[in-house]
């Protein structure tokens, strides 16, 4: 599959995740999100950056519990799964990973 931005065409896998993370930038993230019917807000960007940081540190996308724990430490102790589902109703970890330019999480269907 392919995603088209104003300047280039980027290859994705069957689930819409980038096949090459080095193709990622904020414009690509916005195109991926728009294709999913989501307009990225500052809260989405915080989540995307956190998912990228976890991936860079561990080599894997985070499970929901770890993501919530780190977001609570970094941003707000009141963050919970409902907060994440308000940002990404169809799967916070999967879509945040997708928009972050990361592979589909192994633990997501």
């Amino acid at each position: 599959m392919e995603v088209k931005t104003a300047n280039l065409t980027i290859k994705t896998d069957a689930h819409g995740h980038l096949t090459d993370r080095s193709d990622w930038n904020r414009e690509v993230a916005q195109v991926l999100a728009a294709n999913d019917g989501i307009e990225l807000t500052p809260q989405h960007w915080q989540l995307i950056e956190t998912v990228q940081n976890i991936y860079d540190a561990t080599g894997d996308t985070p499970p929901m519990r770890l993501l919530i724990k780190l977001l609570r430490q970094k941003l707000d102790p009141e963050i919970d799964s409902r907060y994440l589902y308000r940002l990404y109703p169809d799967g916070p970890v999967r879509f945040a990973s997708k928009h972050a330019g990361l592979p589909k999480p192994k633990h997501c269907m």
Side-chain angles (χ1 to χ4, degrees), residues 48-65:
I48 288 168
E49 290 169 8
T50 301
V51 169
Q52 287 175 328
N53 290 339
I54 294 168
Y55 186 87
D56 290 342
T58 67
D60 203 0
T61 52
M64 180 76 89
R65 285 184 182 180

Side-chain angles (χ1 to χ4, degrees), residues 2 13-14 18 24-25 27 35-36 43 49 57-59 62 64 69-70 79 82 84-85 92 95 104:
E2 296 180 338
D13 65 15
L18 298 182
W24 186 89
N25 61 41
E27 179 187 2
N35 287 345
D36 292 327
Q43 293 78 22
E49 290 169 8
T58 67
M64 180 76 89
K69 178 181 177 183
L70 293 175
I79 288 177
R82 289 178 299 207
L84 298 179
Y85 275 101
F95 282 94
K104 182 176 177 259

Side-chain angles (χ1 to χ4, degrees), residues 6-60:
N7 301 320
L8 43 119
T9 300
I10 297 167
K11 294 184 190 251
T12 60
D13 65 15
H15 304 285
H17 292 257
L18 298 182
T19 56
D20 183 352
R21 184 177 177 200
S22 67
D23 288 336
W24 186 89
N25 61 41
R26 283 182 166 247
E27 179 187 2
V28 170
Q30 290 171 328
V31 170
L32 292 170
N35 287 345
D36 292 327
I38 295 171
E39 184 177 334
L40 297 177
T41 65
Q43 293 78 22
H44 286 97
W45 288 115
Q46 290 175 327
L47 179 56
I48 288 168
E49 290 169 8
T50 301
V51 169
Q52 287 175 328
N53 290 339
I54 294 168
Y55 186 87
D56 290 342
T58 67
D60 203 0

